[in-house]
Amino acid sequence: VSESKRAWHAGESSWKGLQDMNSRSIGIEIVNPGEKKLQRYPKTQIDKLIGLIHFLEKKFKIPFYNILGHSDIAPLRKIDPGKHFPWKELYKKKIGLWVEIKQVKNRELSEEEYHEFLQNLNRIGYQLPKHKNFKTSTLLIIDAFHRHFEPTLVGKKPTSISLFKSKELLKLNKT
């Protein structure tokens, strides 16, 4: 799709309270079986992607922290780019967000911490569900966060690592 045209790359989507990300974003389709086939992204593909993103950031004045994945903006329907996507590597090239935390004893969250974590996700930019499938949708949103920031926890309950990473992201989070 031409840069001058609107694509339907994200479908129904939101970030930081903004709806219809198709009208306010550029989608880059990456061909890779990724998570479903447990394949990592080839270095050549990521190197080309980094070049393209830097070009688009400069051309359209896109801040590094606004580089997101489909699963971030449409977590109820999308899992791409998946848990094998090298967000940490991209962050080292000033693309997207990533945080490292000092070694934390990984443990289950208390009910209070779980609610704090959900609120943090909302403050980071994820839209929390407001409908009858709240529990299922919340799990998908948690998985989206884990896909981007703690891939080893995809499909698992959030832990103290999830909570600490969400707190660190809020320190970096731009509006």
Side-chain angles (χ1 to χ4, degrees), residues 12-175:
E12 187 178 329
S13 52
S14 67
W15 188 253
K16 291 192 177 204
L18 298 172
Q19 304 297 312
D20 184 22
M21 299 309 291
N22 295 301
S23 296
R24 60 183 94 244
S25 64
I26 299 169
I28 300 173
E29 195 63 38
I30 303 170
V31 178
N32 187 287
E35 191 168 324
K36 290 186 177 184
K37 300 240 179 168
L38 301 174
Q39 290 187 358
R40 304 222 178 269
Y41 287 82
K43 182 179 178 348
T44 304
Q45 186 179 38
I46 295 303
D47 289 345
K48 297 285 186 191
L49 177 65
I50 288 168
L52 176 60
I53 291 172
H54 281 311
F55 169 79
L56 293 171
E57 284 175 321
K58 185 175 181 179
K59 181 174 182 175
F60 295 104
K61 297 176 177 48
I62 302 168
F64 74 94
Y65 51 82
N66 279 345
I67 306 299
L68 304 163
H70 278 146
S71 59
D72 294 313
I73 62 173
L76 305 184
R77 302 176 305 98
K78 303 277 190 173
I79 65 166
D80 61 308
K83 65 184 180 182
H84 298 299
F85 190 72
W87 285 109
K88 182 178 179 178
E89 182 182 335
L90 267 66
Y91 182 69
K92 290 177 183 176
K93 303 285 187 180
K94 298 183 177 12
I95 297 171
L97 286 173
W98 182 263
V99 290
E100 291 291 335
I101 57 171
K102 300 210 186 316
Q103 192 159 359
V104 173
K105 184 177 184 203
N106 200 16
R107 60 173 174 73
E108 264 188 51
L109 298 179
S110 68
E111 188 173 332
E112 183 179 309
E113 288 172 321
Y114 179 79
H115 290 291
E116 178 185 4
F117 173 66
L118 292 182
Q119 289 308 308
N120 289 353
L121 292 186
N122 188 249
R123 290 175 56 210
I124 289 165
Y126 294 93
Q127 183 171 330
L128 295 181
K130 297 174 181 144
H131 50 74
K132 63 184 177 188
N133 294 326
F134 182 84
K135 187 175 181 181
T136 301
S137 297
T138 300
L139 294 175
L140 292 171
I141 293 164
I142 290 168
D143 267 355
F145 174 84
H146 285 153
R147 269 187 185 87
H148 190 138
F149 300 105
E150 191 57 43
T152 61
L153 292 177
V154 171
K156 299 176 182 169
K157 292 180 181 180
T159 67
S160 54
I161 290 174
S162 311
L163 179 60
F164 282 104
K165 282 201 170 195
S166 71
K167 288 178 179 182
E168 290 301 308
L169 281 164
L170 287 173
K171 292 177 187 176
L172 296 176
N173 210 2
K174 311 288 183 183
T175 54

